[in-house]
Amino acid sequence: MFRISRAGLCQLLSGSLLFLFFSASCVQVDAAQVARGQDNRASEADRFVNDLLSRMTLEEKIGQMSQIALNSPEGPKRDERILKGEVGSLLFVRDPVEINRLQHLAMEKSRLHIPLLFGFDVIHGYRTIYPVPLALAASWDPATAERAQRMAAREASAVGIRWTFAPMVDIARDPRWGRIMEGAGEDPYLGSRMAEAQVRGFQGDKLSDADSILACVKHFAGYGAAVGGRDYDSSDLSEEQLRNVYLPPYQAAIKAGAGSLMSAYMDLNGVPATGNRWLLHDLLRKEWGFRGFVVSDWDSVLSLTTHGFTSGPEDAAVRAVHAGVDMEMTSTTFRDHLADAVKKGLVPQSEIDDAVRWILLAKYKLGLFKNPYVSLDRAQKELVSEEQRTASRSIATRTAVLLRNEGGLLPLKRDVTSIALIGPLIDSRPDVMGSWSLGSHPEDTVTVVEGFERSLASTGTKILSTKGVEIERGQPSIFDDQFPSPKPTLTTDAAKEAEFHHAIDLVKQADVAVLVLGEAQTMNGERASRSTLTLPGKQQQLLEAAVATGKPVVLVLVNGRPLDITWASEHVPAILDVWYPGTEAGNAIAALVFGNAVPGGKLPVTWPRSVGQVPLYYAHNLTQIPKDRDTRYWDGSSAPLYPFGYGLSYATFSLAPMKTSATTVHSGGSVEVSVEVQNTGGLAGDEVVQLYTHQRSGSASRPVRELKGFRRIALKPGERQTVTLTLDTKELGFWSPQTHRWSIEPGVFDLWIGTDSNATQHATLDVTPQP
Ligand code: BGC
């Protein structure tokens, strides 16, 4: 809920070093560990935070639990509140001078000198925009996602932002949902690898490093299952689905050390996530041992009453705290009601203390008590630096997915006489950046036309460019005050028609046409669900008219969700999906189109033929008459247009027969699955080897296939490489709705290896009980 304009305003699992650092520095560390003297840092943090806590008034504690947004209605009182210790965090302040000024009030002028935590949505870049998270997942390369978020953390921290509301790890199986673009797609295994990689990227080697920022894994939990793909709507998920599909990326992010977590807006199985004690306490704290702090989503504490869950703001504050929310984002029910509620005995003091302890601890781990200020020269060096641009460009080329390339039309030869470059997105700066670009400056963006001009500068090739059509944007986006939707320039029917014909004339004059079509920036993200998946406006007609000229056509898709391109998949020879590539869009797209970069991404979501098929995902269960699975609609195919994991390259690859290190393994053991891959094409390229499994029988039906391993490799022409994936039987475990627990059930498993979820190389594996 956006009441205020945005711009206007443990499970203590062994794991990464970062995780160890994070858990080790907790106040409530494992007592035995401290007693054994294994963790001096923990006891230091413990003493520090507990001492501070003992000196805080109730109002100061509630202050730490309150986050206010830039220019919220209390704007004028903000300084005063900071001085009184009534603010724990600020959202959307991003001028380093102002950040230092406010921090100075907290550090030097407030009674207890507790630093403020400045948060911002650094989702796919701060000032330099990187490909959207769905695109990062399409790289099928966790190192790429980690690098993008490391660079983003460097930039954001350079202005004093030390907390991001990312990664978003919600599994999404319905592309109507606008926020599918913010996550890693439909699969828990891929989603988990992307979740942990992003946490590593944001939080760096040590949270206290000046260029590390605190991650906030969100939106806990089940937000991606909103009914009908309608943002904010309820999610109804069985515990089986929740635990096997929707929760694993959260566990992975927490295991990687994510220092905070955001509760979701919607209700899960009838109980709003922000007031859901089972989620935030029983599962998160008790079962998983989460040691970070929990922030609500924007106004989601206040909206507990809108849900018909709480009777008013006081009840909302009381029940949110009881459920396990430690900090309230933007609404003020904590500040307005908690002190009274404690005095009335509605909230135990211990619940307040626990919440504040987690928050202070995070500030301690970030090193904010020692180094609260940002050095002003960092911003100058870091923001849209050449290093940032280079990283953004290279990552954008690694996230593109080649969907079709008949006759090897791509890469295009540079020495053609002329290229028609057509489409409403060829010269748009905001659109190619994607939704969460609030810290960007659109003028930094390289447009597609600019990218092509640079790339063809030394050739005599003429670029004939025009929009052809404009995208009707429909309702204003929640970011409209930051990026006002451009006003249409084609206002009359005659002007629209003339422009359309002009575009088709240019296609006729050129040797080849590149059509850049897709969705405007505001058609994805929060409150941007769609009831259709078609190319918005008259883009489909433009595409069909261009193809009808008989000229070779390349379709470059700019999008945040799978679109209905069923017609194009039969009539357009080359289709390249670049998602929302970010600041370096034009350069990256030109590099891909002309072969300076070779697409090697794979789909992180199943691509449906039409909206009527959704939700559609590869890991469905086998049910009655499985061989009819693709013909389950009377009026069309029920098979996807492109399967999960699919993507082509300018190179071609062959796979030798797969090998497994054993045909039997006991539960708890592991087996190695390997395959030799050869580049059989004439260009260097990347391939992604994917391993899928299936449990043949057990206490519950299991998905027909589940991804359990993958690796992206680069091969030169003719080069061979053996890829060995270790399948740990732990990965074969699942939460059974019959036994109500997580276990590996011995039995026969199918294994497939290949380059998408239709992989055909097959072996079986017998999993025997643990000896
Ligand atoms: C979104 C969150 C976001 C927050 C702060 C909310 O509306 O759901 O994802 O982090 O706003 O901008």
Side-chain angles (χ1 to χ4, degrees):
M1 275 278 279
F2 283 76
R3 293 191 313 164
I4 309 154
S5 87
R6 291 181 179 232
L9 342 174
C10 266
Q11 192 171 4
L12 272 181
L13 300 157
S14 59
S16 68
L17 284 175
L18 182 71
F19 179 72
L20 286 176
F21 168 77
F22 193 89
S23 52
S25 58
C26 291
V27 175
Q28 298 184 346
V29 290
D30 175 36
Q33 222 184 353
V34 178
R36 288 196 297 269
Q38 287 169 346
D39 214 318
N40 299 330
R41 185 187 288 274
S43 49
E44 189 190 314
D46 190 15
R47 275 197 302 276
F48 181 88
V49 171
N50 282 330
D51 169 63
L52 188 52
L53 202 57
S54 71
R55 290 185 285 124
M56 291 171 82
T57 63
L58 179 59
E59 285 68 26
E60 284 165 336
K61 289 177 183 172
I62 295 167
Q64 287 304 307
M65 296 168 70
S66 306
Q67 180 187 58
I68 58 177
L70 173 72
N71 288 359
S72 64
E74 62 187 84
K77 287 203 189 140
R78 191 176 52 187
D79 286 13
E80 210 180 295
R81 291 201 187 284
I82 294 172
L83 290 170
K84 287 205 249 157
E86 288 178 1
V87 182
S89 169
L90 282 125
L91 170 69
F92 290 160
V93 185
R94 52 196 168 87
D95 168 7
V97 175
E98 177 67 355
I99 284 179
N100 278 348
R101 187 186 72 79
L102 295 171
Q103 194 66 291
H104 175 80
L105 297 181
M107 290 306 288
E108 323 298 334
K109 305 265 168 74
S110 77
R111 194 176 75 87
L112 290 173
H113 317 292
I114 302 176
L116 296 164
L117 179 56
F118 291 91
F120 192 74
D121 289 283
V122 184
I123 312 282
H124 50 107
Y126 171 63
R127 166 80 180 264
T128 307
I129 300 302
Y130 285 77
V132 293
L134 189 63
L136 294 178
S139 73
W140 283 63
D141 181 23
T144 294
E146 180 173 342
R147 182 174 175 220
Q149 303 304 27
R150 182 88 289 275
M151 295 303 286
R154 276 173 48 180
E155 237 187 13
S157 60
V159 299
I161 292 162
R162 295 297 305 281
W163 184 22
T164 177
F165 307 114
M168 191 282 234
V169 304
D170 294 315
I171 294 295
R173 295 180 157 188
D174 188 336
R176 291 173 296 181
W177 190 49
R179 303 194 81 167
I180 192 172
M181 168 283 285
E182 288 178 52
E186 75 183 42
D187 186 67
Y189 185 85
L190 181 64
S192 297
R193 304 294 77 78
M194 291 296 157
E196 62 204 16
Q198 293 185 78
V199 170
R200 286 195 299 268
F202 286 130
Q203 297 195 165
D205 293 333
K206 266 201 288 133
L207 264 178
S208 57
D209 288 345
D211 64 2
S212 289
I213 63 178
L214 189 75
C216 181
V217 54
K218 71 185 188 186
H219 310 79
F220 198 61
Y223 186 31
V227 273
R230 293 181 294 271
D231 205 8
Y232 312 135
D233 271 8
S234 305
S235 294
D236 279 295
L237 285 171
S238 66
E239 194 166 356
E240 187 277 320
Q241 281 290 289
L242 196 60
R243 289 195 183 259
N244 291 319
V245 179
Y246 288 81
L247 294 179
Y250 282 95
Q251 288 179 282
I254 289 169
K255 187 175 172 186
S260 67
L261 174 142
M262 186 184 289
S263 65
Y265 278 131
M266 79 307 143
D267 57 273
L268 174 68
N269 302 334
V271 180
T274 297
N276 196 318
R277 187 167 162 89
W278 177 77
L279 264 182
L280 299 176
H281 180 265
D282 299 358
L283 184 75
L284 183 68
R285 295 283 184 202
K286 286 186 73 181
E287 201 177 311
W288 294 358
F290 177 59
R291 307 252 160 176
F293 73 91
V294 174
V295 65
S296 76
D297 204 343
W298 185 291
D299 281 2
S300 70
V301 176
L302 185 69
S303 73
L304 290 176
T305 304
T306 314
H307 284 254
F309 181 69
T310 52
S311 59
E314 181 184 78
D315 193 23
V318 169
R319 287 168 69 189
V321 170
H322 183 60
V325 174
D326 303 315
M327 184 185 281
E328 179 177 21
M329 181 185 279
T330 61
S331 54
T332 59
T333 70
F334 285 10
R335 197 181 66 214
D336 299 341
H337 301 285
L338 272 187
D340 273 354
V342 172
K343 284 169 201 152
K344 285 191 243 167
L346 297 173
V347 178
Q349 181 67 50
S350 62
E351 285 185 358
I352 302 285
D353 287 353
D354 285 348
V356 177
R357 191 179 281 119
W358 294 125
I359 295 165
L360 293 178
L361 200 58
K363 293 184 176 183
Y364 181 89
K365 282 179 286 197
L366 281 162
L368 285 174
F369 285 95
K370 285 192 186 138
N371 299 304
Y373 301 109
V374 56
S375 121
L376 293 179
D377 58 351
R378 269 192 66 209
Q380 270 173 356
K381 289 193 204 121
E382 194 69 67
L383 299 188
V384 275
S385 64
E386 239 352 270
E387 199 187 343
Q388 289 281 350
R389 281 190 178 277
T390 306
S392 176
R393 186 164 62 242
S394 125
I395 289 169
T397 60
R398 288 184 70 74
T399 53
V401 182
L402 182 65
L403 296 173
R404 192 167 199 242
N405 199 17
E406 290 301 293
L409 177 58
L410 284 174
L412 292 185
K413 297 183 184 45
R414 281 197 159 71
D415 57 1
V416 291
T417 315
S418 56
I419 295 179
L421 185 54
I422 310 291
L425 301 169
I426 58 169
D427 62 359
S428 168
R429 294 180 200 280
D431 288 317
V432 288
M433 290 194 293
S435 171
W436 283 106
S437 312
L438 291 166
S440 72
H441 291 191
E443 65 272 19
D444 296 336
T445 304
V446 181
T447 66
V448 184
V449 172
E450 288 166 350
F452 271 52
E453 281 169 354
R454 277 180 209 172
S455 182
L456 296 174
S458 59
T459 68
T461 306
K462 265 210 327 236
I463 301 172
L464 311 172
S465 67
T466 196
K467 285 192 233 189
V469 296
E470 284 180 327
I471 297 180
E472 311 283 339
R473 284 167 201 258
Q475 65 189 25
S477 102
I478 54 169
F479 302 132
D480 242 36
D481 48 357
Q482 168 101 356
F483 294 128
S485 297
K487 297 258 172 302
T489 53
L490 304 168
T491 47
T492 63
D493 285 350
K496 287 180 191 167
E497 207 170 310
E499 172 60 16
F500 191 98
H501 289 307
H502 172 53
I504 300 305
D505 281 346
L506 294 186
V507 174
K508 287 181 186 155
Q509 288 167 38
D511 297 332
V512 57
V514 177
L515 270 74
V516 183
L517 308 179
E519 301 176 293
Q521 180 189 40
T522 52
M523 290 173 170
N524 288 271
E526 189 171 345
R527 219 196 277 171
S529 293
R530 293 184 61 203
S531 64
T532 64
L533 299 177
T534 48
L535 287 164
K538 296 255 183 310
Q539 295 183 90
Q540 179 68 27
Q541 288 92 318
L542 186 71
L543 183 63
E544 291 185 17
V547 170
T549 62
K551 291 291 165 90
V553 172
V554 175
L555 169 60
V556 174
L557 277 181
V558 173
N559 54 322
R561 55 162 68 83
L563 295 173
D564 180 343
I565 52 162
T566 301
W567 183 89
S569 74
E570 290 161 8
H571 298 95
V572 180
I575 306 175
L576 178 69
D577 191 353
V578 297
W579 314 101
Y580 290 105
T583 301
E584 282 286 307
N587 289 333
I589 294 171
L592 288 159
V593 165
F594 296 111
N596 295 87
V598 176
K602 301 277 182 175
L603 293 177
V605 283
T606 300
W607 197 290
R609 289 165 193 274
S610 69
V611 75
Q613 292 183 313
V614 304
L616 187 69
Y617 45 91
Y618 83 95
H620 59 82
N621 287 355
L622 280 174
T623 54
Q624 182 77 358
I625 321 180
K627 68 176 170 30
D628 289 352
R629 166 89 196 168
D630 290 351
T631 55
R632 292 206 174 177
Y633 292 118
W634 178 84
D635 54 354
S637 166
S638 41
L641 184 63
Y642 300 113
F644 174 81
Y646 171 84
L648 304 170
S649 166
Y650 300 154
T652 49
F653 301 92
S654 71
L655 268 60
M658 73 189 279
K659 292 186 183 142
T660 52
S661 62
T663 52
T664 303
V665 64
H666 64 75
S667 176
S670 61
V671 57
E672 296 198 331
V673 185
S674 51
V675 68
E676 187 190 77
V677 187
Q678 186 182 6
N679 181 340
T680 50
L683 285 174
D686 290 7
E687 185 51 286
V688 180
V689 174
Q690 304 167 32
L691 171 66
Y692 294 86
T693 67
H694 168 240
Q695 176 173 332
R696 286 200 181 165
S697 62
S699 68
S701 298
R702 299 298 300 142
V704 60
R705 284 183 185 208
E706 291 180 277
L707 181 71
K708 294 296 176 190
F710 62 90
R711 186 162 322 133
R712 178 167 172 162
I713 54 165
L715 292 178
K716 300 199 183 76
E719 195 184 351
R720 297 163 198 263
Q721 190 178 319
T722 298
V723 174
T724 301
L725 300 171
T726 302
L727 176 64
D728 191 323
T729 49
K730 268 192 257 155
E731 291 296 345
L732 301 175
F734 75 105
W735 189 91
S736 166
Q738 296 255 50
T739 63
H740 296 272
R741 63 188 184 91
W742 194 277
S743 69
I744 305 161
E745 297 185 354
V748 180
F749 286 77
D750 295 292
L751 311 181
W752 290 270
I753 208 154
T755 57
D756 63 41
S757 55
N758 287 341
T760 49
Q761 289 210 41
H762 178 254
T764 55
L765 181 67
D766 252 314
V767 178
T768 57
Q770 201 156 18

